[in-house]
């Protein structure tokens, strides 16, 4: 059986993600959330140019919304039409910027950190407290199929948790366009619901913002729940969907975490990256999986 010949990035980000694993969870979260940090990391070469570069903190403000206009349409036909999501309160749907009633912040912690695909006016790297990121959501469209669901991230309530990501500010007509697009991408195709979170910008953590986040709960039919990191890594290596290979999703997220610096820890992500690095040299995918790479 032919083996996958794709390259695996150097162990630099694996070492960075492993830093601090022996420290207590409370001390780590306090250390990484209580203070802003300067990001010395230069722009890294993205895993795949087709999906666009990982955003670089400090250079993310949009000069022109044309660069962030989403593609004409998503390939919706393969996906079934689920019942509409229950209506949310206006406050939950639109956690507005206190200084601008026409502005809305949207928090991304998965693929949105490198591929928002909607027009926005500003963006900031930062974190939310009280949540941990987990590869517990199944994906049968973007990074998997009905027969081989991929694994993507969701937020798990965790009093000691701290999740890094990117918040995007949309204004005026951008608000309705972004919400319309994300309803298809995250809710209809992904199984996510919306939730209001408190976002702490990296540069100004003393000025938190209310933001809208898309969270997959155990109530949605695609929810897979916990599994050993080795099992999750094996599933990620074997799956892909309309947006690309599941492995690309994992490595781009790891790339973003390295960009944020050593204070941005994610032990769950680091353990899966380690598991992939261990099994990738001898991983022998099925004939169907070989066609994906």
């Amino acid at each position: 059986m032919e083996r996958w010949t794709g390259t695996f990035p150097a162990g630099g980000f694996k070492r960075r993600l492993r830093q601090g694993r022996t420290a207590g969870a409370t001390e780590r979260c306090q250390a990484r959330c209580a203070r802003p940090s300067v990001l010395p990391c230069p722009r890294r070469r993205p895993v795949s140019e087709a999906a666009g570069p990982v955003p670089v903190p400090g250079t993310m403000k949009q000069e022109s919304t044309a660069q962030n206009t989403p593609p004409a349409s998503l390939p919706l036909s393969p996906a079934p039409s689920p019942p509409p999501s229950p209506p949310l309160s206006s406050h939950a749907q639109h956690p507005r910027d206190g200084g601008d009633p026409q502005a809305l912040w949207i928090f991304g912690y998965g693929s949105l950190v490198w591929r928002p695909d909607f027009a926005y006016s500003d963006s900031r790297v930062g974190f939310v407290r009280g949540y941990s990121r987990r590869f517990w959501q199944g994906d049968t469209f973007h990074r998997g199929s009905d027969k081989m669901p991929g694994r993507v991230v969701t937020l798990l309530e965790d009093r000691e948790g701290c999740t890094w990501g990117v918040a995007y500010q949309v204004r005026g007509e951008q608000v309705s366009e972004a919400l319309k697009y994300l309803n298809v991408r995250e809710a209809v195709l992904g199984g996510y619901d919306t939730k209001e979170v408190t976002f702490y910008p990296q540069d100004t953590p003393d000025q938190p913002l209310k933001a809208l986040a898309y969270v997959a709960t155990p109530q949605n039919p695609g929810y897979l729940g916990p599994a050993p990191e080795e099992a999750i890594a094996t599933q990620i290596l074997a799956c892909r969907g309309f947006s690309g290979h599941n492995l690309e999703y994992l490595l781009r997220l790891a790339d973003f975490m390295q960009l944020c610096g050593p204070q941005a820890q994610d032990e769950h992500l680091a353990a899966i990256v380690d598991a992939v690095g261990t099994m990738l040299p001898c991983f022998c995918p099925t004939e169907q999986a070989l066609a994906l790479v």
Side-chain angles (χ1 to χ4, degrees), residues 74-269:
L74 287 170
L76 304 182
S77 56
S81 299
S85 302
L88 301 170
S89 67
S90 59
H91 182 63
Q93 282 186 322
H94 305 284
R96 302 288 178 172
D97 187 335
D100 186 350
Q102 299 302 315
L104 169 69
W105 288 92
I106 299 170
F107 176 64
Y109 56 93
S111 61
L112 287 180
V113 303
W114 69 82
R115 190 175 64 86
D117 276 354
F118 57 83
Y120 57 92
S121 300
D122 195 6
S123 59
R124 302 181 188 179
V125 172
F127 54 86
V128 297
R129 291 181 175 132
Y131 295 91
S132 292
R133 179 169 33 217
R134 293 290 184 269
F135 276 82
W136 289 4
Q137 173 66 3
D139 189 341
T140 60
F141 185 84
H142 296 290
R143 300 290 176 171
S145 64
D146 290 333
K147 293 183 178 181
M148 298 178 65
R151 284 263 185 176
V152 292
V153 293
T154 184
L155 292 180
L156 175 70
E157 290 191 13
D158 177 2
R159 199 166 57 175
E160 297 182 348
C162 183
T163 299
W164 283 75
V166 180
Y168 299 94
Q169 185 189 58
V170 289
R171 297 172 176 268
E173 294 181 357
Q174 294 176 345
V175 174
S176 59
E177 292 299 319
L179 292 177
K180 181 180 178 181
Y181 170 72
L182 290 173
N183 180 61
V184 175
R185 172 174 166 173
E186 304 294 336
V188 176
L189 299 178
Y192 289 75
D193 294 326
T194 52
K195 189 168 188 175
E196 181 181 310
V197 296
T198 301
F199 174 79
Y200 297 86
Q202 174 190 353
D203 297 329
T204 56
D206 57 335
Q207 300 176 24
L209 305 166
K210 294 297 182 182
L212 191 71
Y214 287 82
V215 180
T217 66
Q219 286 70 42
N220 84 83
Y223 192 79
L224 296 178
E229 282 79 7
E230 294 77 10
I232 294 176
T234 300
Q235 189 171 352
I236 287 174
L237 283 170
C239 296
R240 79 164 294 151
F242 284 96
S243 296
H245 202 286
N246 206 174
L247 178 60
E248 179 198 25
Y249 180 99
L250 171 71
L251 298 184
R252 278 186 168 273
L253 194 52
D255 227 19
F256 168 76
M257 291 296 289
Q258 184 189 20
L259 191 73
C260 290
Q263 80 284 351
Q265 300 293 324
D266 190 326
E267 291 189 357
H268 177 70
L269 173 63

Side-chain angles (χ1 to χ4, degrees), residues 61-87:
K61 185 173 181 180
Q62 294 301 296
E63 299 297 336
S64 171
T65 59
Q67 296 178 354
N68 298 90
T69 304
S73 63
L74 287 170
L76 304 182
S77 56
S81 299
S85 302

Side-chain angles (χ1 to χ4, degrees), residues 10-27:
F13 68 79
K14 293 166 63 179
R15 290 193 297 272
R16 292 284 293 278
L17 289 171
R18 286 198 297 267
Q19 290 177 356
R21 288 173 120 181
T22 57
T26 301
E27 290 79 5

